Amino acid sequence: MDLDGVIDLYDKCVTVPGPVENNGCPTTASIPPVDNSTAVNAVSKEFEGIEFELNKDVIRPQSFGKLNQAAEIIKTLDSNSKFAVVGATDARGSAEYNLKLSQKRANAVLKYLISKGVNSSMLTAEGHGKADLLYPECDPATKCPESKNEANRRVYFQQK
C-alpha cells in the first residue's frame, strides 16, 4: 500500500514507507520535523484504525506500529506544544459508561506514547464518549451499518 517494497502482510507500517530491515516502518532519522498543523494531521492519520479489545482499554498489538510512528512524529515537535489524545465511542451503551471507556482508551494511548519517549507535558487525554460521534446519525447505533459504528469508536489527536 505504501510502495516501500515490503509486502503489506509483513509491513508493520502499511501507510508509511520504510526499509525492509525495519519491518516497513521508517526509522527515527527519516522522520523530518514538521509544523504543528501538519503533525496533527499526520498523527491523526496514524491513529486511524487503532484497535482495542472489545469493551476494554487494552490496545491490540496490531496497532503498535501506528502508535510507534505517531510517537516518532510527536517527538519531532517543540516540547512546549500541547496536544490532546481524544477518545470517542459509538452510541451503544449508556452515556456514563461510554464516557468512562473513551477516557480509559485515551489514557491507554497517552501512556503508550509516553512509554515510547513522548514528553508527558505535551499530552493530555480526553474522553468524549458518545457525545463526539463521527456519524451523529448513528444514534441509536441500530440506524447505521457496523462500519459507521466502528468509525465512531476512535481515538484522534488534537492541538490544544
Side-chain angles (χ1 to χ4, degrees), residues 34-36 73-84 118-124 157-160:
V34 292
D35 64 62
N36 284 357
I73 294 167
I74 297 167
K75 290 190 305 190
T76 67
L77 300 173
D78 177 1
S79 63
N80 293 320
S81 301
K82 304 288 182 207
F83 302 95
V118 173
N119 184 338
S120 63
S121 68
M122 296 174 70
L123 302 175
T124 58
F157 196 63
Q158 184 176 68
Q159 185 167 4
K160 294 307 264 176

Side-chain angles (χ1 to χ4, degrees), residues 14-28:
V14 295
T15 61
V16 182
V20 173
E21 55 275 0
N22 200 35
N23 298 313
C25 292
T27 59
T28 304

Side-chain angles (χ1 to χ4, degrees), residues 1 10-11 19 37 46 48 50 57 63 78 102-103 128 146:
M1 180 158 199
Y10 304 110
D11 197 332
S37 63
E46 293 302 325
E48 285 179 14
I50 297 298
D57 61 347
S63 297
D78 177 1
S102 65
Q103 182 67 49
H128 290 183
E146 187 54 28

Side-chain angles (χ1 to χ4, degrees), residues 1-15:
M1 180 158 199
D2 56 15
L3 304 174
D4 61 5
V6 179
I7 298 170
D8 285 349
L9 177 66
Y10 304 110
D11 197 332
K12 301 288 185 197
C13 301
V14 295
T15 61

Side-chain angles (χ1 to χ4, degrees), residues 29-73:
S30 69
I31 301 173
V34 292
D35 64 62
N36 284 357
S37 63
T38 304
V40 168
N41 292 336
V43 173
S44 290
K45 187 75 175 157
E46 293 302 325
F47 277 12
E48 285 179 14
I50 297 298
E51 295 180 32
F52 295 89
E53 296 294 329
L54 184 63
N55 287 326
K56 295 182 182 177
D57 61 347
V58 177
I59 302 167
R60 289 187 172 160
Q62 59 263 38
S63 297
F64 295 160
K66 289 181 172 199
L67 289 174
N68 292 344
Q69 180 64 20
E72 293 305 321
I73 294 167

Side-chain angles (χ1 to χ4, degrees), residues 86-158:
V86 182
T89 63
D90 65 20
R92 292 183 182 102
S94 72
E96 182 181 337
Y97 175 80
N98 282 327
L99 189 60
K100 287 179 184 175
L101 180 60
S102 65
Q103 182 67 49
K104 287 179 180 180
R105 287 179 171 177
N107 286 340
V109 170
L110 182 133
K111 183 178 175 182
Y112 185 90
L113 294 172
I114 291 169
S115 78
K116 295 300 175 185
V118 173
N119 184 338
S120 63
S121 68
M122 296 174 70
L123 302 175
T124 58
E126 297 177 9
H128 290 183
K130 65 181 184 180
D132 189 8
L133 296 173
L134 187 60
Y135 295 102
E137 68 273 16
C138 296
D139 190 5
T142 55
K143 291 173 66 177
C144 288
E146 187 54 28
S147 61
K148 283 189 173 182
N149 286 313
E150 207 171 278
N152 279 331
R153 299 187 296 265
R154 69 198 193 285
V155 177
Y156 62 93
F157 196 63
Q158 184 176 68

